[in-house]
Amino acid sequence: MKEIVEENAKIRSLEDALNRCQCLGMRISRQRRYILELLWKTKEHLSAREIYNRLSQNGKNVGHTSVYQNLEALSTQGIIECLERCDGRLYGTITDSHSHVNCLDTQQIIDVHVKLPPDLIQQIEAQTGVTITDYRIDFYGHQQPELYENLTKPSPV
């Protein structure tokens, strides 16, 4: 029995993304599947060029135009995330509300879910006269050397 997928359900896996495509009547072409598989495997924010290059390196024959068209279709339908940056678009897998930590040393973008305290939201609403219904925060910073060293050191056996 085929499971019915709610159109607003969160996409948490490659299977969820493929199910959403089917639910929306989108054809799951070979190229579309390759792009989704790559994004879910890497868990990074990648540009269209990076996606094209990685697919090519992995022996997946997908044209430039096909990559761009599929990324546009997938992001327009809310199946993947599209971040507009001054140096171009980046694509990721988390489509529900979340924030980003931008590492200025590695250029890495890390997805984080942040819940602001209700009193802070009320304070912002009082200052602006706008009822907050959603938010995304971009954090910027540098790697903390002591944490980075601990992450890269082999653990003692």
Side-chain angles (χ1 to χ4, degrees):
M1 183 173 176
K2 192 170 183 176
E3 192 177 313
I4 297 174
V5 180
E6 183 186 331
E7 204 165 306
N8 294 329
K10 293 179 182 175
I11 298 174
R12 294 287 187 229
S13 67
L14 173 59
E15 184 178 313
D16 290 346
L18 294 170
N19 286 339
R20 181 67 55 83
C21 286
Q22 289 179 326
C23 180
L24 294 170
M26 296 175 73
R27 194 170 140 256
I28 302 175
S29 64
R30 175 180 50 86
Q31 297 90 338
R32 191 164 285 164
R33 181 179 290 277
Y34 288 161
I35 291 167
L36 288 170
E37 286 173 350
L38 175 67
L39 286 172
W40 279 98
K41 180 181 174 189
T42 63
K43 298 287 186 195
E44 295 177 65
H45 295 84
L46 301 172
S47 68
R49 178 167 296 285
E50 288 171 318
I51 291 168
Y52 171 79
N53 289 340
R54 289 188 189 192
L55 290 174
S56 295
Q57 290 168 358
N58 292 330
K60 310 290 187 195
N61 188 17
V62 180
H64 281 101
T65 303
S66 181
V67 169
Y68 284 97
Q69 289 173 341
N70 277 290
L71 289 170
E72 181 66 23
L74 291 166
S75 63
T76 299
Q77 292 299 323
I79 296 167
I80 62 173
E81 174 185 33
C82 177
L83 297 176
E84 298 283 345
R85 299 292 181 171
C86 61
D87 56 349
R89 294 178 176 170
L90 297 177
Y91 299 90
T93 57
I94 299 179
T95 57
D96 58 311
S97 293
H98 65 286
S99 297
H100 296 110
V101 175
N102 297 267
C103 180
L104 300 172
D105 299 317
T106 64
Q107 305 308 310
Q108 183 182 17
I109 300 171
I110 304 161
D111 294 314
V112 293
H113 286 86
V114 175
K115 184 162 175 61
L116 295 176
D119 59 326
L120 179 58
I121 292 174
Q122 290 168 356
Q123 180 184 354
I124 294 168
E125 289 175 339
Q127 287 177 1
T128 62
V130 175
T131 301
I132 305 296
T133 59
D134 195 13
Y135 53 88
R136 295 174 185 231
I137 304 169
D138 279 315
F139 298 95
Y140 296 88
H142 296 278
Q143 280 185 324
Q144 297 177 15
E146 61 280 359
L147 293 177
Y148 180 74
E149 288 171 13
N150 289 336
L151 292 174
T152 59
K153 282 183 190 173
S155 57
V157 180

